[in-house]
């Protein structure tokens, strides 16, 4: 598959645990002419992830990883990534921490999207915390993954207004719609020099 710049598209794998709406938007973008990537694989620790249904319907290769033993799970993931010539991993709501050992083997090639303006509000329940602290702005961040939680180098961010009558659900919805645009933009951005 050739991207509009004449180069081969980079094969990416998306790791999910649930809804997979970011995975869907990455997939839709990947079909565009100006996309520098294609999605060759979706991987989940949860066989009931809604995103896996979408992968099956759209005939995207998908794998379920048993995470009872982290070491074995990561060994299997590395094997699968290699076998499928994956050049980049995009975490999208993947609720497992990747070990330092794993990240070393896939150095600089793992991205994540987080629903806040990092470095603020790392971890879970970001929208509730933002509202509780009466922030005027929140947003989303695409960043490289390192061994510390939500702490890798930032690639792109998008600010989102928080309104007085927002609740965590309404804010989540507004931020998520921006995540769907930001993630593909960030992936394309880092692939520009490859
Ligand atoms: C998103 O808010 C993302 O920022 C966070 O987990 C959520 C995943 O949503 N890491 P989805 O599964 O992509 O719909």
């Amino acid at each position: 598959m050739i991207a509009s710049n004449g180069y081969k598209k980079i094969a990416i794998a998306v790791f999910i645990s649930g809804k997979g709406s970011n995975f869907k938007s990455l997939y839709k973008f990947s079909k565009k002419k100006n996309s520098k990537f294609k999605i060759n694989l979706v991987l989940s620790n949860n066989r009931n992830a809604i995103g896996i249904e979408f992968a099956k319907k759209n005939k995207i290769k998908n794998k379920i990883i048993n995470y009872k033993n982290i070491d074995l799970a990561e060994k299997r993931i590395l094997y699968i990534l290699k076998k499928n010539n994956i050049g980049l991993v995009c975490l999208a709501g993947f609720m497992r921490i990747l070990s330092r050992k794993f990240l070393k083997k896939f150095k600089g090639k793992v991205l994540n999207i987080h629903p806040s303006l990092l470095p603020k509000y790392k971890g879970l329940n970001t929208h509730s915390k933002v509202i509780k602290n009466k922030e005027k702005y929140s947003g989303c961040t695409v960043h490289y993954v390192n061994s510390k939680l939500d702490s890798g180098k930032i690639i792109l961010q998008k600010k989102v207004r928080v309104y007085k009558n927002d609740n965590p659900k309404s804010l989540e919805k507004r931020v998520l719609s921006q995540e769907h645009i930001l993630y593909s933009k960030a992936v394309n951005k880092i692939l520009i020099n490859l």
Side-chain angles (χ1 to χ4, degrees), residues 15-31:
F15 289 13
I16 63 170
S17 294
K19 260 195 334 262
S21 67
N22 277 293
F23 151 52
K24 285 184 208 167
S25 60
L26 281 166
Y27 176 70
K28 284 187 189 146
F29 185 92
S30 75
K31 295 287 171 196

Side-chain angles (χ1 to χ4, degrees), residues 144-188:
Y144 286 101
V145 174
N146 64 15
S147 55
K148 286 187 201 140
L149 182 71
D150 301 326
S151 296
K153 188 173 170 234
I154 291 171
I155 300 164
L156 280 181
Q157 288 188 308
K158 174 76 184 175
K159 247 185 182 182
V160 172
R161 185 80 168 91
V162 183
Y163 297 112
K164 281 212 173 88
N165 59 353
D166 261 327
N167 56 49
K169 275 268 157 245
S170 62
L171 181 59
E172 180 187 9
K173 206 172 155 200
R174 195 172 319 113
V175 171
L176 196 59
S177 68
Q178 292 304 322
E179 291 182 36
H180 295 159
I181 301 166
L182 194 74
Y183 214 166
S184 302
K185 226 173 154 181
V187 175
N188 245 16

Side-chain angles (χ1 to χ4, degrees), residues 1-174:
M1 208 183 277
I2 308 289
S4 59
N5 57 7
Y7 290 101
K8 248 181 105 187
K9 291 195 178 194
I10 304 292
I12 72 169
V14 186
F15 289 13
I16 63 170
S17 294
K19 260 195 334 262
S21 67
N22 277 293
F23 151 52
K24 285 184 208 167
S25 60
L26 281 166
Y27 176 70
K28 284 187 189 146
F29 185 92
S30 75
K31 295 287 171 196
K32 294 187 180 175
K33 238 183 152 189
N34 61 334
S35 168
K36 297 184 176 58
F37 62 90
K38 55 184 177 166
I39 296 183
N40 279 27
L41 179 72
V42 181
L43 191 147
S44 180
N45 62 311
N46 171 16
R47 67 175 57 254
N48 299 317
I50 298 171
I52 291 296
E53 289 306 311
F54 180 84
K56 283 179 182 161
K57 268 190 208 143
N58 290 280
K59 301 194 168 42
I60 306 164
K61 196 168 189 177
N62 54 89
K63 296 273 180 200
I64 307 298
I65 302 295
N66 182 334
Y67 245 85
K68 266 187 194 147
N69 178 319
I70 296 177
D71 216 40
L72 286 182
E74 290 193 340
K75 272 191 185 135
R76 182 157 157 67
I77 294 174
L78 280 169
Y79 171 77
I80 293 170
L81 295 181
K82 209 169 168 195
K83 207 174 154 208
N84 288 278
N85 292 314
I86 299 299
L88 187 76
V89 167
C90 292
L91 307 183
F94 185 60
M95 302 302 280
R96 289 288 178 275
I97 303 273
L98 295 170
S99 72
R100 200 183 281 266
K101 204 167 133 197
F102 178 95
L103 291 169
K104 222 172 160 184
K105 294 209 168 122
F106 224 69
K107 212 170 173 204
K109 292 182 181 168
V110 185
L111 309 188
N112 182 41
I113 186 152
H114 184 76
S116 80
L117 291 174
L118 291 173
K120 282 182 128 180
Y121 303 106
K122 295 174 184 175
L124 296 174
N125 304 316
T126 51
H127 305 304
S128 312
K129 291 178 199 160
V130 163
I131 286 174
K132 204 173 159 203
N133 285 347
K134 298 191 171 29
E135 297 279 7
K136 281 210 169 100
Y137 290 96
S138 185
C140 45
T141 304
V142 178
H143 63 96
Y144 286 101
V145 174
N146 64 15
S147 55
K148 286 187 201 140
L149 182 71
D150 301 326
S151 296
K153 188 173 170 234
I154 291 171
I155 300 164
L156 280 181
Q157 288 188 308
K158 174 76 184 175
K159 247 185 182 182
V160 172
R161 185 80 168 91
V162 183
Y163 297 112
K164 281 212 173 88
N165 59 353
D166 261 327
N167 56 49
K169 275 268 157 245
S170 62
L171 181 59
E172 180 187 9
K173 206 172 155 200
R174 195 172 319 113

